[in-house]
Amino acid sequence: DSGVTQTPKHLITATGQRVTLRCSPRSGDLSVYWYQQSLDQGLQFLIQYYNGEERAKGNILERFSAQQFPDLHSELNLSSLELGDSALYFCASSVDTAGDTQYFGPGTRLTVL
Amino acid sequence: GENVEQHPSTLSVQEGDSAVIKCTYSDSASNYFPWYKQELGKGPQLIIDIRSNVGEKKDQRIAVTLNKTAKHFSLHITETQPEDSAVYFCAAKRDDYKLSFGAGTTVTVRA
């Protein structure tokens, strides 16, 4: 158990819908990272937050957004969902902004029908 | 940006034998190289990492070597056991940049 929690574990929705994925980092970790894992793209970095502020952006679509709250939990919002958004979404956390040692959560499996 | 290539994509070994996975990276400024193990239905788990000021690091049955000149690093698993069966990912990053992952190696340990 990495100490990073994610909810829900599974999510099934329809195209065009909007969903919210939630992540709680390990105790003491200030950085949260979101990744997308699909069969053809591997593990892709989406976005990083550090202590409530956006720190770095990766291959995140404009339809996706995230935020980190004062209690350090983070939410990833996916809107106008398409079939191609079906994937595993992982959250990771690290103690600082450098992001070297990252601990991953169990993931949320999103299926868009 | 950083590009990490990982080989082989699949690896089947007999229980007790060794397994070796190799990765190359493109950015000479990369200085941190972690390895993750992902079991079915779970998130990636950090198993070992190495920094650019170290050439080799060992933790029980796993070891990682780094060749900065050639820009490649490898994961060695000795005395493989069935519980070593999983997908292994290498990654590389430099200061304040994102982790760039390899495509993964599916390791199967045959009993």
Side-chain angles (χ1 to χ4, degrees):
Chain A
D1 184 0
S2 67
V4 179
T5 60
Q6 288 186 249
T7 57
K9 193 171 178 61
H10 300 279
L11 203 47
I12 301 174
T13 188
T15 54
Q17 294 299 303
R18 173 190 168 94
V19 296
T20 297
L21 283 52
R22 183 187 168 105
C23 166
S24 292
R26 294 189 326 151
S27 176
D29 284 359
L30 298 178
S31 272
V32 168
Y33 310 79
W34 286 98
Y35 291 86
Q36 180 190 60
Q37 186 178 42
S38 57
L39 283 174
D40 58 342
Q41 292 290 320
L43 266 165
Q44 297 289 320
F45 167 72
L46 296 178
I47 197 165
Q48 176 196 1
Y49 276 81
Y50 174 75
N51 205 19
E53 300 290 325
E54 183 185 301
R55 186 73 176 86
K57 258 185 175 178
N59 304 320
I60 189 166
L61 300 172
E62 285 191 11
R63 300 183 285 109
F64 297 179
S65 65
Q67 57 186 128
Q68 187 179 27
F69 295 86
D71 67 352
L72 300 177
H73 90 271
S74 178
E75 293 180 355
L76 179 67
N77 301 296
L78 315 176
S79 61
S80 302
L81 285 168
E82 302 174 359
L83 295 177
D85 297 328
S86 295
L88 277 165
Y89 290 85
F90 289 104
C91 165
S93 72
S94 71
V95 66
D96 57 21
T97 184
D100 283 0
T101 307
Q102 295 184 26
Y103 296 92
F104 281 73
T108 293
R109 180 175 292 281
L110 174 65
T111 302
V112 182
L113 301 175
Chain B
E2 176 65 276
N3 182 45
V4 179
E5 294 191 357
Q6 182 171 346
H7 299 280
S9 57
T10 61
L11 181 60
S12 179
V13 296
Q14 190 70 36
E15 183 177 357
D17 287 350
S18 295
V20 180
I21 304 170
K22 298 181 179 181
C23 289
T24 60
Y25 60 98
S26 60
D27 188 346
S28 57
S30 287
N31 55 16
Y32 176 68
F33 308 92
W35 286 88
Y36 285 85
K37 173 184 181 182
Q38 186 175 19
E39 297 175 352
L40 200 60
K42 296 186 177 181
Q45 174 195 1
L46 179 67
I47 56 173
I48 195 167
D49 56 12
I50 192 168
R51 298 185 187 275
S52 58
N53 58 347
V54 176
E56 184 174 354
K57 184 176 178 181
K58 190 174 181 180
D59 182 4
Q60 299 183 339
R61 294 186 298 107
I62 60 172
V64 58
T65 58
L66 171 65
N67 183 327
K68 284 192 299 181
T69 304
K71 289 190 283 186
H72 68 70
F73 56 113
S74 301
L75 178 71
H76 304 253
I77 308 173
T78 58
E79 300 173 17
T80 53
Q81 300 169 5
E83 53 264 38
D84 295 328
S85 295
V87 180
Y88 292 81
F89 292 94
C90 63
K93 74 178 288 288
R94 61 178 188 173
D95 292 342
D96 273 359
Y97 271 63
K98 64 182 178 72
L99 270 176
S100 294
F101 286 85
T105 297
T106 301
V107 174
T108 303
V109 179
R110 306 186 307 272

